[in-house]
mmCIF file of all heavy atoms in Angstrom:
data_model
loop_
_atom_site.group_PDB
_atom_site.id
_atom_site.type_symbol
_atom_site.label_atom_id
_atom_site.label_comp_id
_atom_site.label_asym_id
_atom_site.label_seq_id
_atom_site.Cartn_x
_atom_site.Cartn_y
_atom_site.Cartn_z
ATOM 1 N N ILE A 154 262.247 110.866 -101.239
ATOM 2 C CA ILE A 154 260.924 110.317 -101.035
ATOM 3 C C ILE A 154 260.207 109.775 -102.233
ATOM 4 O O ILE A 154 259.632 108.730 -102.384
ATOM 5 C CB ILE A 154 259.966 111.411 -100.280
ATOM 6 C CG1 ILE A 154 260.486 111.639 -98.805
ATOM 7 C CG2 ILE A 154 258.480 110.988 -100.290
ATOM 8 C CD1 ILE A 154 259.932 112.785 -98.196
ATOM 9 N N LEU A 157 262.056 106.508 -103.560
ATOM 10 C CA LEU A 157 261.699 105.332 -102.765
ATOM 11 C C LEU A 157 260.231 104.988 -102.855
ATOM 12 O O LEU A 157 259.893 103.794 -102.638
ATOM 13 C CB LEU A 157 262.239 105.517 -101.273
ATOM 14 C CG LEU A 157 263.647 105.658 -101.058
ATOM 15 C CD1 LEU A 157 264.087 105.903 -99.680
ATOM 16 C CD2 LEU A 157 264.462 104.321 -101.650
ATOM 17 N N GLY A 158 259.528 105.950 -102.929
ATOM 18 C CA GLY A 158 258.019 105.774 -103.056
ATOM 19 C C GLY A 158 257.497 105.192 -101.774
ATOM 20 O O GLY A 158 256.610 104.361 -101.797
ATOM 21 N N LEU A 159 258.000 105.606 -100.629
ATOM 22 C CA LEU A 159 257.611 105.091 -99.332
ATOM 23 C C LEU A 159 256.954 106.247 -98.494
ATOM 24 O O LEU A 159 257.346 107.446 -98.662
ATOM 25 C CB LEU A 159 258.726 104.536 -98.509
ATOM 26 C CG LEU A 159 259.523 103.362 -99.333
ATOM 27 C CD1 LEU A 159 260.783 103.044 -98.597
ATOM 28 C CD2 LEU A 159 258.642 102.225 -99.336
ATOM 29 N N GLU A 160 256.248 105.909 -97.517
ATOM 30 C CA GLU A 160 255.703 106.902 -96.509
ATOM 31 C C GLU A 160 256.666 106.914 -95.338
ATOM 32 O O GLU A 160 257.050 105.831 -94.772
ATOM 33 C CB GLU A 160 254.319 106.671 -95.984
ATOM 34 C CG GLU A 160 253.241 106.948 -96.968
ATOM 35 C CD GLU A 160 251.889 106.821 -96.226
ATOM 36 O OE1 GLU A 160 251.720 107.227 -95.084
ATOM 37 O OE2 GLU A 160 251.001 106.303 -96.996
ATOM 38 N N PHE A 161 257.140 108.113 -95.001
ATOM 39 C CA PHE A 161 258.090 108.228 -93.868
ATOM 40 C C PHE A 161 257.510 108.965 -92.664
ATOM 41 O O PHE A 161 256.675 109.783 -92.816
ATOM 42 C CB PHE A 161 259.433 109.067 -94.408
ATOM 43 C CG PHE A 161 260.232 108.222 -95.254
ATOM 44 C CD1 PHE A 161 260.022 108.355 -96.663
ATOM 45 C CD2 PHE A 161 261.222 107.423 -94.855
ATOM 46 C CE1 PHE A 161 260.844 107.554 -97.496
ATOM 47 C CE2 PHE A 161 262.002 106.677 -95.683
ATOM 48 C CZ PHE A 161 261.805 106.781 -97.063
ATOM 49 N N VAL A 162 258.029 108.601 -91.499
ATOM 50 C CA VAL A 162 257.723 109.301 -90.325
ATOM 51 C C VAL A 162 258.829 110.276 -90.050
ATOM 52 O O VAL A 162 260.029 109.936 -90.179
ATOM 53 C CB VAL A 162 257.588 108.329 -89.090
ATOM 54 C CG1 VAL A 162 257.270 109.274 -87.888
ATOM 55 C CG2 VAL A 162 256.475 107.379 -89.378
ATOM 56 N N PHE A 195 262.011 108.166 -91.157
ATOM 57 C CA PHE A 195 262.046 106.715 -90.824
ATOM 58 C C PHE A 195 260.950 106.081 -91.498
ATOM 59 O O PHE A 195 259.785 106.573 -91.730
ATOM 60 C CB PHE A 195 261.837 106.657 -89.296
ATOM 61 C CG PHE A 195 261.455 105.292 -88.851
ATOM 62 C CD1 PHE A 195 262.466 104.400 -88.775
ATOM 63 C CD2 PHE A 195 260.155 104.908 -88.428
ATOM 64 C CE1 PHE A 195 262.182 102.922 -88.316
ATOM 65 C CE2 PHE A 195 259.878 103.672 -87.990
ATOM 66 C CZ PHE A 195 260.895 102.683 -87.921
ATOM 67 N N HIS A 196 261.218 104.883 -91.928
ATOM 68 C CA HIS A 196 260.175 104.020 -92.604
ATOM 69 C C HIS A 196 260.500 102.530 -92.086
ATOM 70 O O HIS A 196 261.619 102.179 -91.960
ATOM 71 C CB HIS A 196 260.270 104.049 -94.109
ATOM 72 C CG HIS A 196 259.354 103.117 -94.791
ATOM 73 N ND1 HIS A 196 257.999 103.280 -94.971
ATOM 74 C CD2 HIS A 196 259.594 101.766 -95.306
ATOM 75 C CE1 HIS A 196 257.535 102.257 -95.524
ATOM 76 N NE2 HIS A 196 258.334 101.310 -95.663
ATOM 77 N N THR A 197 259.359 101.822 -91.972
ATOM 78 C CA THR A 197 259.681 100.430 -91.534
ATOM 79 C C THR A 197 258.681 99.584 -92.260
ATOM 80 O O THR A 197 257.545 99.904 -92.720
ATOM 81 C CB THR A 197 259.413 100.232 -90.053
ATOM 82 O OG1 THR A 197 259.789 98.894 -89.636
ATOM 83 C CG2 THR A 197 257.967 100.460 -89.613
#
Side-chain angles (χ1 to χ4, degrees):
I154 291 169
L157 294 175
L159 303 170
E160 283 192 38
F161 287 92
V162 177
F195 169 73
H196 174 80
T197 189

